[in-house]
Amino acid sequence: MTRDLVGYGGTWPDIRWPNGARLAVSVVVNFEEGAEQQVGDGDPHSERMGEVISVVAPGVRDMGQEQIFAYGTRAGLWRMLDGLDRHGIKATFLMCGRAVERSPVLAREIAARGHEAAAHGWLWRPQADYASEAEEARDLDRCIAAIEAATGARPRGFFCRGSESIWTRGLLAARGFAWASNAFDDDLPYRDPAHPALAILPYALDTNDMKFFHPNGFVRAAEMVDYVNDAIDVLLAEAEAGKPRLLNIGYHLRICGRPARFPAFDRVLARLASLGDRVWVARRDAIAAAWSAAT
């Protein structure tokens, strides 16, 4: 893959999103719990990143980490689903295959409430870790099958932890995916010349609640709310000056599903809802379809 450091080169396509706005906003919720690596699940090591960095020795079952993750699906999911319902916002849920396979009733409820179920890999791990295309293809197919069995719909989009591999986009294109999001390099979708049928919807790791788990990130909910509001204000001003834009806001069940951090979710949703048709808040599949139709 050749690096493109120019992109649109300052000449933006003249497009509007379906409601007439020039700023689209994608709210993403990660459904990973049960797909993180855990010795207790037969994985070679346990995930170390959580509320604190795990102090359990490598190779030993870490039941504390298991429970930190389980909070996301046992409690956080319902708080966040109700918040989305209350504000009338549809999100894209990035679903790891093993998480869906273990809790299909939860994935089914998410889809029943009108949210998109997208693929997030079989496990919560970088696709770049795969040693072969065949191994990656096998796990991608397992993820697709688990989501389709639970929700009744085949996923149309993909994003994985960290980095995709050199094979990922080809595997997605061959399976008819509409969009991929392992890109952090633009404020607008674009095409990968090697796979022109695949819309690349850039994602963002700064307007993302994972920064609550990083030492240089957010501590209190208000810090994320202020940060996201700044992003909204800047992109809205650019959009209303005629430049189309896409804002991505990412959340995790085990992070902003917690009571003290939930306002970082709820208040951002309230701000988005208050903007009306000045923005277009949509699922990623709808954003990919609209961008493809306009370009």
Side-chain angles (χ1 to χ4, degrees):
M1 184 184 300
T2 302
R3 294 180 67 191
D4 179 359
L5 302 179
V6 177
Y8 286 104
T11 303
W12 317 108
D14 183 18
I15 65 171
R16 290 184 181 272
W17 301 106
N19 70 341
R22 289 194 188 271
L23 173 58
V25 181
S26 167
V27 176
V28 171
V29 182
N30 292 266
F31 185 93
E32 301 159 343
E33 291 75 6
E36 81 284 0
Q37 296 196 66
Q38 297 285 2
V39 168
D41 290 333
D43 299 317
H45 57 84
S46 292
E47 175 61 45
R48 301 190 64 80
M49 184 184 297
E51 293 290 339
V52 295
I53 299 299
S54 175
V55 295
V56 175
V60 177
R61 183 179 181 184
D62 189 342
M63 288 182 280
Q65 276 286 58
E66 291 175 13
Q67 293 157 0
I68 286 169
F69 274 80
Y71 182 92
T73 44
R74 291 168 62 103
L77 171 64
W78 305 104
R79 186 171 288 126
M80 296 176 83
L81 281 176
D82 288 347
L84 289 163
D85 285 349
R86 187 166 56 253
H87 295 291
I89 287 175
K90 302 304 180 187
T92 292
F93 278 71
L94 300 175
M95 296 185 173
C96 289
R98 190 170 78 179
V100 172
E101 186 176 80
R102 298 174 82 162
S103 306
V105 66
L106 302 183
R108 193 172 303 120
E109 176 67 18
I110 290 166
R113 296 206 194 190
H115 306 295
E116 178 186 10
H120 197 32
W122 174 247
L123 297 180
W124 190 48
R125 59 175 282 191
Q127 300 298 106
D129 284 352
Y130 284 105
S132 72
E133 183 176 9
E135 182 186 2
E136 182 178 0
R138 180 202 66 197
D139 278 359
L140 177 60
D141 288 337
R142 292 173 78 189
C143 178
I144 293 169
I147 293 172
E148 189 167 14
T151 68
R154 186 177 178 89
R156 301 295 316 284
F158 179 88
F159 175 79
C160 73
R161 182 183 189 182
S163 173
E164 61 196 358
S165 77
I166 59 173
W167 308 296
T168 303
R169 290 186 184 178
L171 293 172
L172 297 174
R175 286 156 176 78
F177 275 69
W179 61 266
S181 283
N182 279 94
F184 308 99
D185 52 0
D186 215 310
D187 293 316
L188 272 184
Y190 58 87
R191 295 284 175 191
D192 180 343
H195 306 288
L198 196 63
I200 307 303
L201 270 60
Y203 193 51
L205 299 179
D206 66 321
T207 47
N208 192 300
D209 72 351
M210 185 58 74
K211 292 183 73 66
F212 282 110
F213 278 6
H214 287 270
N216 66 333
F218 311 127
V219 176
R220 300 192 62 193
E223 294 172 354
M224 182 173 181
V225 175
D226 288 346
Y227 190 93
V228 172
N229 274 330
D230 285 345
I232 292 171
D233 291 342
V234 168
L235 294 182
L236 190 57
E238 292 178 357
E240 293 182 342
K243 302 171 183 177
R245 293 291 185 259
L246 168 65
L247 173 62
N248 304 280
I249 311 171
Y251 294 98
H252 297 73
L253 302 176
R254 65 191 176 277
I255 301 179
C256 273
R258 288 275 179 179
R261 289 189 290 257
F262 181 68
F265 184 70
D266 195 54
R267 292 175 191 166
V268 167
L269 296 186
R271 173 78 195 284
L272 294 174
S274 75
L275 291 171
D277 284 343
R278 295 179 69 196
V279 301
W280 184 51
V281 184
R283 297 169 18 155
R284 293 180 88 75
D285 56 351
I287 292 171
W291 182 81
S292 296
T295 59

